[in-house]
Amino acid sequence: SPYRAALAAADDASAAVVGALTLEVVGARALRASFLGSYGEARLVPEVAALLPGATGLIKSIAVADTSRGRGVATALVEAGLAALAEQGAARVYSLAWESARDGCLLCGVLTAAGFQTAARLERFWYADSVAAGYVCPACGHPCACAARVMVR
């Protein structure tokens, strides 16, 4: 059965949630789906081709409150997520980090410090999905023109 989890970080003083991370061990369908329409292109990259269903973890989403950025919240969440995925037998882990013209790649430093490397950069990764779902990207608006950095460890 698939493994999925969500982790939260709370402020010590107020107990308010200041960060969250979602993760899972991906099967074949989830692995393919996580790349939206870019799986064929991404699969040509050797590091992506090495991601095996059932033995690969995905750090799916990382969010940190603006007031808590730069305080190690994302780092602590990623470390806890990697430990949880390792306990579930994930030999490799990947994450798709947003990269916008406005903000650059906010998570690339945290992921790189945790041992991830950029395997690929997929241009306009969320474009078709944002058009189909009608969502507005917080960095660039609608439709989303952000790239995704495929980060692998």
Side-chain angles (χ1 to χ4, degrees), residues 72-104:
V73 174
T75 298
L77 286 167
V78 168
E79 288 173 359
L82 289 170
L85 289 167
E87 287 177 15
Q88 296 299 316
R92 309 255 353 225
V93 179
Y94 73 105
S95 187
L96 301 168
W98 288 55
E99 183 177 350
S100 72
R102 182 186 82 186
D103 300 325

PDB file of all heavy atoms in Angstrom, residues 72-104:
ATOM      1  N   GLY A  72      15.160  28.148   9.347  1.00  0.00           N
ATOM      2  CA  GLY A  72      15.440  26.715   9.358  1.00  0.00           C
ATOM      3  C   GLY A  72      14.226  25.820   9.324  1.00  0.00           C
ATOM      4  O   GLY A  72      14.351  24.597   9.471  1.00  0.00           O
ATOM      5  N   VAL A  73      13.048  26.390   9.118  1.00  0.00           N
ATOM      6  CA  VAL A  73      11.814  25.592   9.116  1.00  0.00           C
ATOM      7  C   VAL A  73      11.818  24.603   7.952  1.00  0.00           C
ATOM      8  O   VAL A  73      11.571  23.407   8.136  1.00  0.00           O
ATOM      9  CB  VAL A  73      10.555  26.497   9.076  1.00  0.00           C
ATOM     10  CG1 VAL A  73       9.289  25.675   8.926  1.00  0.00           C
ATOM     11  CG2 VAL A  73      10.489  27.362  10.334  1.00  0.00           C
ATOM     12  N   ALA A  74      12.093  25.073   6.739  1.00  0.00           N
ATOM     13  CA  ALA A  74      12.102  24.186   5.574  1.00  0.00           C
ATOM     14  C   ALA A  74      13.187  23.118   5.714  1.00  0.00           C
ATOM     15  O   ALA A  74      12.958  21.950   5.395  1.00  0.00           O
ATOM     16  CB  ALA A  74      12.301  24.983   4.289  1.00  0.00           C
ATOM     17  N   THR A  75      14.344  23.504   6.230  1.00  0.00           N
ATOM     18  CA  THR A  75      15.430  22.544   6.429  1.00  0.00           C
ATOM     19  C   THR A  75      15.007  21.429   7.379  1.00  0.00           C
ATOM     20  O   THR A  75      15.227  20.241   7.092  1.00  0.00           O
ATOM     21  CB  THR A  75      16.687  23.265   6.963  1.00  0.00           C
ATOM     22  OG1 THR A  75      17.108  24.222   5.981  1.00  0.00           O
ATOM     23  CG2 THR A  75      17.815  22.290   7.246  1.00  0.00           C
ATOM     24  N   ALA A  76      14.395  21.797   8.498  1.00  0.00           N
ATOM     25  CA  ALA A  76      13.946  20.793   9.471  1.00  0.00           C
ATOM     26  C   ALA A  76      12.870  19.890   8.877  1.00  0.00           C
ATOM     27  O   ALA A  76      12.886  18.669   9.095  1.00  0.00           O
ATOM     28  CB  ALA A  76      13.423  21.478  10.733  1.00  0.00           C
ATOM     29  N   LEU A  77      11.956  20.467   8.112  1.00  0.00           N
ATOM     30  CA  LEU A  77      10.905  19.656   7.491  1.00  0.00           C
ATOM     31  C   LEU A  77      11.483  18.687   6.466  1.00  0.00           C
ATOM     32  O   LEU A  77      11.093  17.514   6.409  1.00  0.00           O
ATOM     33  CB  LEU A  77       9.849  20.556   6.841  1.00  0.00           C
ATOM     34  CG  LEU A  77       8.901  21.266   7.788  1.00  0.00           C
ATOM     35  CD1 LEU A  77       8.122  22.353   7.055  1.00  0.00           C
ATOM     36  CD2 LEU A  77       7.943  20.269   8.445  1.00  0.00           C
ATOM     37  N   VAL A  78      12.417  19.152   5.645  1.00  0.00           N
ATOM     38  CA  VAL A  78      13.030  18.278   4.638  1.00  0.00           C
ATOM     39  C   VAL A  78      13.796  17.149   5.324  1.00  0.00           C
ATOM     40  O   VAL A  78      13.684  15.981   4.930  1.00  0.00           O
ATOM     41  CB  VAL A  78      13.931  19.077   3.673  1.00  0.00           C
ATOM     42  CG1 VAL A  78      14.797  18.152   2.828  1.00  0.00           C
ATOM     43  CG2 VAL A  78      13.078  19.970   2.771  1.00  0.00           C
ATOM     44  N   GLU A  79      14.550  17.461   6.364  1.00  0.00           N
ATOM     45  CA  GLU A  79      15.291  16.422   7.088  1.00  0.00           C
ATOM     46  C   GLU A  79      14.344  15.378   7.681  1.00  0.00           C
ATOM     47  O   GLU A  79      14.596  14.174   7.578  1.00  0.00           O
ATOM     48  CB  GLU A  79      16.155  17.049   8.185  1.00  0.00           C
ATOM     49  CG  GLU A  79      17.344  17.803   7.643  1.00  0.00           C
ATOM     50  CD  GLU A  79      18.109  18.581   8.710  1.00  0.00           C
ATOM     51  OE1 GLU A  79      17.718  18.566   9.904  1.00  0.00           O
ATOM     52  OE2 GLU A  79      19.121  19.216   8.346  1.00  0.00           O
ATOM     53  N   ALA A  80      13.255  15.823   8.282  1.00  0.00           N
ATOM     54  CA  ALA A  80      12.276  14.887   8.853  1.00  0.00           C
ATOM     55  C   ALA A  80      11.603  14.074   7.749  1.00  0.00           C
ATOM     56  O   ALA A  80      11.358  12.866   7.907  1.00  0.00           O
ATOM     57  CB  ALA A  80      11.230  15.644   9.675  1.00  0.00           C
ATOM     58  N   GLY A  81      11.316  14.718   6.630  1.00  0.00           N
ATOM     59  CA  GLY A  81      10.707  14.010   5.505  1.00  0.00           C
ATOM     60  C   GLY A  81      11.623  12.955   4.924  1.00  0.00           C
ATOM     61  O   GLY A  81      11.190  11.840   4.616  1.00  0.00           O
ATOM     62  N   LEU A  82      12.897  13.284   4.791  1.00  0.00           N
ATOM     63  CA  LEU A  82      13.862  12.303   4.276  1.00  0.00           C
ATOM     64  C   LEU A  82      13.978  11.109   5.221  1.00  0.00           C
ATOM     65  O   LEU A  82      14.052   9.961   4.758  1.00  0.00           O
ATOM     66  CB  LEU A  82      15.231  12.961   4.076  1.00  0.00           C
ATOM     67  CG  LEU A  82      15.325  13.945   2.906  1.00  0.00           C
ATOM     68  CD1 LEU A  82      16.640  14.713   2.949  1.00  0.00           C
ATOM     69  CD2 LEU A  82      15.149  13.228   1.580  1.00  0.00           C
ATOM     70  N   ALA A  83      13.968  11.364   6.512  1.00  0.00           N
ATOM     71  CA  ALA A  83      14.028  10.261   7.483  1.00  0.00           C
ATOM     72  C   ALA A  83      12.790   9.378   7.372  1.00  0.00           C
ATOM     73  O   ALA A  83      12.895   8.135   7.388  1.00  0.00           O
ATOM     74  CB  ALA A  83      14.166  10.812   8.902  1.00  0.00           C
ATOM     75  N   ALA A  84      11.619   9.985   7.231  1.00  0.00           N
ATOM     76  CA  ALA A  84      10.382   9.209   7.102  1.00  0.00           C
ATOM     77  C   ALA A  84      10.383   8.372   5.829  1.00  0.00           C
ATOM     78  O   ALA A  84       9.971   7.202   5.840  1.00  0.00           O
ATOM     79  CB  ALA A  84       9.170  10.145   7.122  1.00  0.00           C
ATOM     80  N   LEU A  85      10.849   8.950   4.724  1.00  0.00           N
ATOM     81  CA  LEU A  85      10.899   8.205   3.457  1.00  0.00           C
ATOM     82  C   LEU A  85      11.912   7.066   3.535  1.00  0.00           C
ATOM     83  O   LEU A  85      11.660   5.977   3.021  1.00  0.00           O
ATOM     84  CB  LEU A  85      11.226   9.149   2.298  1.00  0.00           C
ATOM     85  CG  LEU A  85      10.098  10.115   1.922  1.00  0.00           C
ATOM     86  CD1 LEU A  85      10.610  11.209   0.995  1.00  0.00           C
ATOM     87  CD2 LEU A  85       8.924   9.376   1.303  1.00  0.00           C
ATOM     88  N   ALA A  86      13.041   7.290   4.190  1.00  0.00           N
ATOM     89  CA  ALA A  86      14.039   6.226   4.356  1.00  0.00           C
ATOM     90  C   ALA A  86      13.464   5.071   5.164  1.00  0.00           C
ATOM     91  O   ALA A  86      13.701   3.904   4.840  1.00  0.00           O
ATOM     92  CB  ALA A  86      15.296   6.775   5.020  1.00  0.00           C
ATOM     93  N   GLU A  87      12.694   5.381   6.203  1.00  0.00           N
ATOM     94  CA  GLU A  87      12.049   4.330   6.999  1.00  0.00           C
ATOM     95  C   GLU A  87      11.090   3.491   6.172  1.00  0.00           C
ATOM     96  O   GLU A  87      10.858   2.326   6.470  1.00  0.00           O
ATOM     97  CB  GLU A  87      11.277   4.952   8.173  1.00  0.00           C
ATOM     98  CG  GLU A  87      12.150   5.477   9.282  1.00  0.00           C
ATOM     99  CD  GLU A  87      11.344   6.156  10.379  1.00  0.00           C
ATOM    100  OE1 GLU A  87      10.106   5.972  10.437  1.00  0.00           O
ATOM    101  OE2 GLU A  87      11.965   6.884  11.176  1.00  0.00           O
ATOM    102  N   GLN A  88      10.552   4.083   5.115  1.00  0.00           N
ATOM    103  CA  GLN A  88       9.616   3.379   4.235  1.00  0.00           C
ATOM    104  C   GLN A  88      10.326   2.684   3.076  1.00  0.00           C
ATOM    105  O   GLN A  88       9.686   2.141   2.188  1.00  0.00           O
ATOM    106  CB  GLN A  88       8.558   4.351   3.698  1.00  0.00           C
ATOM    107  CG  GLN A  88       7.680   4.939   4.768  1.00  0.00           C
ATOM    108  CD  GLN A  88       6.909   3.869   5.508  1.00  0.00           C
ATOM    109  OE1 GLN A  88       6.356   2.944   4.916  1.00  0.00           O
ATOM    110  NE2 GLN A  88       6.862   3.976   6.839  1.00  0.00           N
ATOM    111  N   GLY A  89      11.658   2.731   3.049  1.00  0.00           N
ATOM    112  CA  GLY A  89      12.422   2.008   2.041  1.00  0.00           C
ATOM    113  C   GLY A  89      12.726   2.774   0.772  1.00  0.00           C
ATOM    114  O   GLY A  89      13.168   2.178  -0.219  1.00  0.00           O
ATOM    115  N   ALA A  90      12.526   4.096   0.775  1.00  0.00           N
ATOM    116  CA  ALA A  90      12.828   4.883  -0.422  1.00  0.00           C
ATOM    117  C   ALA A  90      14.340   4.995  -0.597  1.00  0.00           C
ATOM    118  O   ALA A  90      15.032   5.553   0.245  1.00  0.00           O
ATOM    119  CB  ALA A  90      12.203   6.271  -0.321  1.00  0.00           C
ATOM    120  N   ALA A  91      14.855   4.428  -1.681  1.00  0.00           N
ATOM    121  CA  ALA A  91      16.285   4.471  -1.962  1.00  0.00           C
ATOM    122  C   ALA A  91      16.685   5.795  -2.610  1.00  0.00           C
ATOM    123  O   ALA A  91      17.806   6.254  -2.456  1.00  0.00           O
ATOM    124  CB  ALA A  91      16.672   3.315  -2.882  1.00  0.00           C
ATOM    125  N   ARG A  92      15.789   6.403  -3.361  1.00  0.00           N
ATOM    126  CA  ARG A  92      16.006   7.696  -4.021  1.00  0.00           C
ATOM    127  C   ARG A  92      14.845   8.609  -3.656  1.00  0.00           C
ATOM    128  O   ARG A  92      13.745   8.140  -3.388  1.00  0.00           O
ATOM    129  CB  ARG A  92      16.055   7.540  -5.547  1.00  0.00           C
ATOM    130  CG  ARG A  92      16.980   6.482  -6.047  1.00  0.00           C
ATOM    131  CD  ARG A  92      18.288   6.826  -6.671  1.00  0.00           C
ATOM    132  NE  ARG A  92      18.626   8.183  -6.938  1.00  0.00           N
ATOM    133  CZ  ARG A  92      19.155   8.595  -8.074  1.00  0.00           C
ATOM    134  NH1 ARG A  92      19.351   7.758  -9.054  1.00  0.00           N
ATOM    135  NH2 ARG A  92      19.504   9.847  -8.242  1.00  0.00           N
ATOM    136  N   VAL A  93      15.086   9.896  -3.696  1.00  0.00           N
ATOM    137  CA  VAL A  93      14.042  10.882  -3.403  1.00  0.00           C
ATOM    138  C   VAL A  93      14.168  12.003  -4.422  1.00  0.00           C
ATOM    139  O   VAL A  93      15.271  12.386  -4.801  1.00  0.00           O
ATOM    140  CB  VAL A  93      14.186  11.452  -1.970  1.00  0.00           C
ATOM    141  CG1 VAL A  93      13.114  12.498  -1.686  1.00  0.00           C
ATOM    142  CG2 VAL A  93      14.121  10.337  -0.933  1.00  0.00           C
ATOM    143  N   TYR A  94      13.026  12.523  -4.855  1.00  0.00           N
ATOM    144  CA  TYR A  94      13.036  13.663  -5.760  1.00  0.00           C
ATOM    145  C   TYR A  94      12.006  14.679  -5.319  1.00  0.00           C
ATOM    146  O   TYR A  94      11.106  14.388  -4.524  1.00  0.00           O
ATOM    147  CB  TYR A  94      12.807  13.236  -7.213  1.00  0.00           C
ATOM    148  CG  TYR A  94      11.406  12.808  -7.550  1.00  0.00           C
ATOM    149  CD1 TYR A  94      10.562  13.643  -8.279  1.00  0.00           C
ATOM    150  CD2 TYR A  94      10.922  11.556  -7.172  1.00  0.00           C
ATOM    151  CE1 TYR A  94       9.269  13.247  -8.602  1.00  0.00           C
ATOM    152  CE2 TYR A  94       9.651  11.159  -7.504  1.00  0.00           C
ATOM    153  CZ  TYR A  94       8.817  12.006  -8.215  1.00  0.00           C
ATOM    154  OH  TYR A  94       7.548  11.614  -8.536  1.00  0.00           O
ATOM    155  N   SER A  95      12.160  15.885  -5.831  1.00  0.00           N
ATOM    156  CA  SER A  95      11.222  16.959  -5.580  1.00  0.00           C
ATOM    157  C   SER A  95      11.190  17.844  -6.815  1.00  0.00           C
ATOM    158  O   SER A  95      12.189  17.958  -7.526  1.00  0.00           O
ATOM    159  CB  SER A  95      11.659  17.772  -4.355  1.00  0.00           C
ATOM    160  OG  SER A  95      10.669  18.720  -4.007  1.00  0.00           O
ATOM    161  N   LEU A  96      10.045  18.432  -7.071  1.00  0.00           N
ATOM    162  CA  LEU A  96       9.901  19.366  -8.180  1.00  0.00           C
ATOM    163  C   LEU A  96       9.806  20.767  -7.586  1.00  0.00           C
ATOM    164  O   LEU A  96       8.791  21.132  -7.007  1.00  0.00           O
ATOM    165  CB  LEU A  96       8.644  19.036  -9.005  1.00  0.00           C
ATOM    166  CG  LEU A  96       8.645  17.631  -9.603  1.00  0.00           C
ATOM    167  CD1 LEU A  96       7.276  17.273 -10.149  1.00  0.00           C
ATOM    168  CD2 LEU A  96       9.694  17.513 -10.681  1.00  0.00           C
ATOM    169  N   ALA A  97      10.871  21.527  -7.684  1.00  0.00           N
ATOM    170  CA  ALA A  97      10.941  22.846  -7.073  1.00  0.00           C
ATOM    171  C   ALA A  97      10.530  23.913  -8.089  1.00  0.00           C
ATOM    172  O   ALA A  97      11.035  23.937  -9.203  1.00  0.00           O
ATOM    173  CB  ALA A  97      12.360  23.113  -6.575  1.00  0.00           C
ATOM    174  N   TRP A  98       9.616  24.776  -7.664  1.00  0.00           N
ATOM    175  CA  TRP A  98       9.161  25.867  -8.523  1.00  0.00           C
ATOM    176  C   TRP A  98      10.286  26.868  -8.728  1.00  0.00           C
ATOM    177  O   TRP A  98      11.015  27.202  -7.805  1.00  0.00           O
ATOM    178  CB  TRP A  98       7.993  26.604  -7.869  1.00  0.00           C
ATOM    179  CG  TRP A  98       6.716  25.856  -7.843  1.00  0.00           C
ATOM    180  CD1 TRP A  98       6.515  24.611  -7.328  1.00  0.00           C
ATOM    181  CD2 TRP A  98       5.465  26.301  -8.316  1.00  0.00           C
ATOM    182  NE1 TRP A  98       5.190  24.263  -7.461  1.00  0.00           N
ATOM    183  CE2 TRP A  98       4.529  25.290  -8.062  1.00  0.00           C
ATOM    184  CE3 TRP A  98       5.038  27.471  -8.932  1.00  0.00           C
ATOM    185  CZ2 TRP A  98       3.193  25.400  -8.408  1.00  0.00           C
ATOM    186  CZ3 TRP A  98       3.693  27.577  -9.265  1.00  0.00           C
ATOM    187  CH2 TRP A  98       2.788  26.546  -9.011  1.00  0.00           C
ATOM    188  N   GLU A  99      10.378  27.376  -9.949  1.00  0.00           N
ATOM    189  CA  GLU A  99      11.327  28.442 -10.269  1.00  0.00           C
ATOM    190  C   GLU A  99      10.589  29.498 -11.069  1.00  0.00           C
ATOM    191  O   GLU A  99      10.111  29.228 -12.170  1.00  0.00           O
ATOM    192  CB  GLU A  99      12.504  27.891 -11.069  1.00  0.00           C
ATOM    193  CG  GLU A  99      13.551  28.931 -11.356  1.00  0.00           C
ATOM    194  CD  GLU A  99      14.754  28.377 -12.082  1.00  0.00           C
ATOM    195  OE1 GLU A  99      14.886  27.152 -12.206  1.00  0.00           O
ATOM    196  OE2 GLU A  99      15.574  29.200 -12.540  1.00  0.00           O
ATOM    197  N   SER A 100      10.477  30.686 -10.495  1.00  0.00           N
ATOM    198  CA  SER A 100       9.773  31.768 -11.182  1.00  0.00           C
ATOM    199  C   SER A 100      10.736  32.868 -11.576  1.00  0.00           C
ATOM    200  O   SER A 100      11.823  33.003 -10.988  1.00  0.00           O
ATOM    201  CB  SER A 100       8.680  32.360 -10.280  1.00  0.00           C
ATOM    202  OG  SER A 100       9.252  33.114  -9.226  1.00  0.00           O
ATOM    203  N   ALA A 101      10.348  33.666 -12.552  1.00  0.00           N
ATOM    204  CA  ALA A 101      11.162  34.804 -12.955  1.00  0.00           C
ATOM    205  C   ALA A 101      11.266  35.802 -11.806  1.00  0.00           C
ATOM    206  O   ALA A 101      12.300  36.444 -11.627  1.00  0.00           O
ATOM    207  CB  ALA A 101      10.565  35.460 -14.195  1.00  0.00           C
ATOM    208  N   ARG A 102      10.209  35.911 -11.005  1.00  0.00           N
ATOM    209  CA  ARG A 102      10.178  36.878  -9.900  1.00  0.00           C
ATOM    210  C   ARG A 102      11.053  36.449  -8.721  1.00  0.00           C
ATOM    211  O   ARG A 102      11.822  37.218  -8.181  1.00  0.00           O
ATOM    212  CB  ARG A 102       8.732  37.072  -9.427  1.00  0.00           C
ATOM    213  CG  ARG A 102       8.592  38.097  -8.310  1.00  0.00           C
ATOM    214  CD  ARG A 102       7.194  38.155  -7.772  1.00  0.00           C
ATOM    215  NE  ARG A 102       7.026  37.069  -6.796  1.00  0.00           N
ATOM    216  CZ  ARG A 102       5.887  36.770  -6.218  1.00  0.00           C
ATOM    217  NH1 ARG A 102       4.795  37.436  -6.520  1.00  0.00           N
ATOM    218  NH2 ARG A 102       5.814  35.788  -5.345  1.00  0.00           N
ATOM    219  N   ASP A 103      10.917  35.181  -8.295  1.00  0.00           N
ATOM    220  CA  ASP A 103      11.546  34.721  -7.055  1.00  0.00           C
ATOM    221  C   ASP A 103      12.733  33.793  -7.245  1.00  0.00           C
ATOM    222  O   ASP A 103      13.401  33.448  -6.270  1.00  0.00           O
ATOM    223  CB  ASP A 103      10.509  33.987  -6.191  1.00  0.00           C
ATOM    224  CG  ASP A 103       9.341  34.863  -5.814  1.00  0.00           C
ATOM    225  OD1 ASP A 103       9.546  36.069  -5.602  1.00  0.00           O
ATOM    226  OD2 ASP A 103       8.207  34.341  -5.735  1.00  0.00           O
ATOM    227  N   GLY A 104      12.975  33.318  -8.458  1.00  0.00           N
ATOM    228  CA  GLY A 104      13.982  32.281  -8.652  1.00  0.00           C
ATOM    229  C   GLY A 104      13.469  30.979  -8.047  1.00  0.00           C
ATOM    230  O   GLY A 104      12.274  30.733  -7.997  1.00  0.00           O
TER     231      GLY A 104
END
